[in-house]
Amino acid sequence: MSHDVKNIAITGGAGQIGYQLAFRVASGQVYGPKQKIRLHLLEITPALSALEGVKMELDDCAFPLLEDIVTTDNPDVAFTNADCAFLVGARPRSAGMERKDLLLANAEIFSVQGKSINANAKKEIKVLVVGNPANTNALIARENAPDINPRNFTAMTRLDHNRAVSQIAHRMGSHSSDIKQLIIWGNHSATQYPDIRFCQNKGKTVINDIDHDWYIKNFIPTVQQRGAAIIKARGASSAASAASAAIDHMHDWINGTEEKNWTSMGVMSDGSYGIEEGVVFSFPVTCKNGEYHIIQDLEIDAFSQEMIHATNKELREEREGVASLL
Ligand code: NAD
Ligand code: LMR
């Protein structure tokens, strides 16, 4: 790892997720224990005072790796020379809403930020979109950044992935670290397909040990609806677990996935598994040397085909809904 200072942009720095994420990034959990970093925290103007409080607390941690903290309401300042960006700042949903109901409220944010990233960030920037609906917001950002490789824009389905791993670990009486090769296909929404056909517990395939009825009627809806269940319980959407998943996503993209495992990332579709170009779709991926690679040639049975088709259809409809911003 190089010893120059990495510039890490976080939007929505004073929000719920931002308040968790900034501290974990500043402690070195993305680039590792030797890499000095500079935080660029972006907020809207009315939240600048709260953001100043976040900066004061970051200062008070005396993090050894944290060289500097820039706070701003100007995206062009936040994305200047950024090596990576967490696009978190956006409205969260409340009870009774689907994430795609946020599209009109949030879409404009990602077109402005895509343009600003294009003009100001390093060309090799890695972008993770967390703000909902994350897949389509990532699409908007990347369509507005024509000079940056579209591969550099990703959306977060790692929270769904981690949720699914945990559910399987509980069911199997195992630890989450024993569960490998799970997949989240498609959209970070209620149409996502959590697929355990290749999933392993301590190196052994789990599918034959899992009750099929539980898998279809309990596991899949639980993972699909977990965000709504958290909102119901907390009165606010997931924050610490979302920040944790964002760290996992960026950490693995930069440092690589573990041996004999893969993860799920929302990435631009390239025709793999019949998903034509034009949407940001969650696939099983491995990461190495700062690049992700979609796992190829997994068998897709009729049930999986139906599930993948449904989530792809929803993403294409979301795309239609924001056509003016693409
Ligand atoms: P929050 O309301 O607590 O914080 C959002 C922050 O973003 C606020 O401080 C707000 O001022 C700021 N903001 C709004 N517009 C901005 C802009 N243009 N530039 C910079 N900052 C801006 O919300 P939260 O709980 O932190 O959630 C943030 C987003 O993340 C929501 O859209 C939520 O639905 C989404 N989310 C996604 C996942 C996922 O798995 N992909 C998980 C959890 C939450
Ligand atoms: C989640 O999955 O927890 C987030 O996307 C928040 C939400 O709206 O469900």
Side-chain angles (χ1 to χ4, degrees):
M1 181 66 64
S2 107
H3 286 246
D4 58 344
V5 180
K6 298 282 186 198
N7 298 318
I8 305 178
I10 300 178
T11 74
Q16 280 205 92
I17 297 173
Y19 189 61
Q20 293 281 334
L21 187 57
F23 293 82
R24 293 191 56 179
V25 171
S27 70
Q29 293 182 29
V30 169
Y31 281 99
K34 292 196 180 138
Q35 179 62 58
K36 300 262 187 202
I37 55 180
R38 188 180 292 113
L39 280 181
H40 293 190
L41 304 178
L42 179 69
E43 260 297 348
I44 51 173
T45 313
L48 280 179
S49 160
L51 190 63
E52 201 48 36
V54 174
K55 178 176 189 286
M56 288 161 70
E57 283 201 69
L58 282 161
D59 275 336
D60 293 349
C61 293
F63 285 120
L65 298 169
L66 187 56
E67 287 284 293
D68 195 12
I69 308 161
V70 175
T71 57
T72 179
D73 58 359
N74 181 351
D76 293 347
V77 173
F79 296 124
T80 293
N81 288 329
D83 292 280
C84 76
F86 294 87
L87 306 190
V88 179
R91 223 183 102 187
R93 66 173 165 158
S94 33
M97 291 170 80
E98 287 299 330
R99 297 180 188 94
K100 64 184 165 199
D101 298 335
L102 293 167
L103 203 46
L104 288 183
N106 288 339
E108 184 71 26
I109 297 174
F110 294 88
S111 101
V112 169
Q113 292 180 359
K115 288 185 179 73
S116 180
I117 287 170
N118 195 56
N120 298 288
K122 291 195 179 147
K123 290 296 171 239
E124 64 275 19
I125 185 174
K126 288 181 163 54
V127 180
L128 169 61
V129 176
V130 175
N132 277 319
N135 299 52
T136 298
N137 288 337
L139 177 73
I140 295 168
R142 93 162 145 85
E143 292 290 321
N144 282 278
D147 302 330
I148 293 184
N149 187 337
R151 283 179 57 84
N152 298 15
F153 286 84
T154 64
M156 189 162 94
T157 52
R158 183 61 175 264
L159 180 53
D160 311 287
H161 184 99
N162 289 348
R163 286 167 172 166
V165 163
S166 221
Q167 293 291 325
I168 295 293
H170 287 312
R171 182 75 183 181
M172 301 297 295
S174 279
H175 190 266
S176 54
S177 59
D178 295 323
I179 307 299
K180 317 276 186 202
Q181 298 191 179
L182 196 140
I183 306 170
I184 303 294
W185 297 97
N187 200 2
H188 173 62
S189 78
T191 65
Q192 67 180 269
Y193 170 36
D195 179 358
I196 62 163
R197 291 173 306 128
F198 308 97
C199 183
Q200 299 192 344
N201 173 31
K202 299 182 183 147
K204 188 170 166 277
T205 307
V206 301
I207 192 79
N208 296 328
D209 296 328
I210 295 262
D211 175 59
H212 187 70
D213 243 35
W214 177 83
Y215 175 46
I216 302 292
K217 294 194 186 139
N218 192 315
F219 169 79
I220 292 178
T222 297
V223 176
Q224 289 174 329
Q225 298 293 342
R226 187 69 164 186
I230 304 273
I231 291 171
K232 189 158 176 249
R234 259 173 44 87
S237 63
S238 65
S241 57
S244 196
I247 296 273
D248 289 345
H249 176 116
M250 198 64 92
H251 173 275
D252 286 359
W253 189 2
I254 291 167
N255 302 290
T257 38
E258 62 176 359
E259 283 291 304
K260 297 195 177 145
N261 199 5
W262 62 54
T263 187
S264 305
M265 284 170 69
V267 303
M268 68 168 195
S269 55
D270 63 355
S272 297
Y273 298 98
I275 311 300
E276 297 301 328
E277 287 181 16
V279 291
V280 172
F281 197 93
S282 182
F283 288 102
V285 298
T286 52
C287 303
K288 200 172 180 182
N289 302 326
E291 294 286 335
Y292 58 79
H293 306 277
I294 298 173
I295 308 270
Q296 298 294 331
D297 300 326
L298 295 172
E299 195 199 324
I300 304 296
D301 60 17
F303 175 74
S304 303
Q305 192 57 57
E306 202 180 302
M307 297 294 282
I308 288 172
H309 174 74
T311 196
N312 186 27
K313 182 166 173 284
E314 181 184 50
L315 279 168
R316 303 225 170 232
E317 286 162 4
E318 287 185 20
R319 184 193 160 94
E320 285 298 302
V322 295
S324 63
L325 292 170
L326 303 179

